[in-house]
Amino acid sequence: MIQHTPAPRPVEHRDDTATYDARDLVRDGVKANVVLDDQTYTLRITRAGKLILTK
C-alpha cells in the first residue's frame, strides 16, 4: 500500500531537470520507496551520505 506524503519541494536548478533534495524524499531520514509502474525500488541514504537505489 502506498502512503502519500506531502510532495517534496523542488530545488532551484538551471535546466528543465526536476531536482529534489534526497532528504526531503525520505520520511525517516534514511529510506523511501519509489514506485515506477508496478515495480517498487528503495532509495536509501547511507551513514556516509551516499545514495543507493535497489529493487
Side-chain angles (χ1 to χ4, degrees):
M1 182 178 198
I2 298 174
Q3 295 179 349
H4 295 282
T5 58
R9 296 178 316 267
V11 174
E12 185 94 15
H13 206 267
R14 292 180 183 238
D15 62 19
D16 291 355
T17 305
T19 305
Y20 299 94
D21 186 313
R23 295 190 192 285
D24 287 342
L25 297 174
V26 298
R27 174 177 281 178
D28 61 4
V30 178
K31 66 181 179 176
N33 288 330
V34 178
V35 178
L36 176 64
D37 299 326
D38 291 332
Q39 300 292 317
T40 301
Y41 299 83
T42 300
L43 177 68
R44 186 167 58 92
I45 301 174
T46 68
R47 284 181 268 169
K50 307 292 183 184
L51 289 177
I52 297 175
L53 182 66
T54 56
K55 193 170 186 183

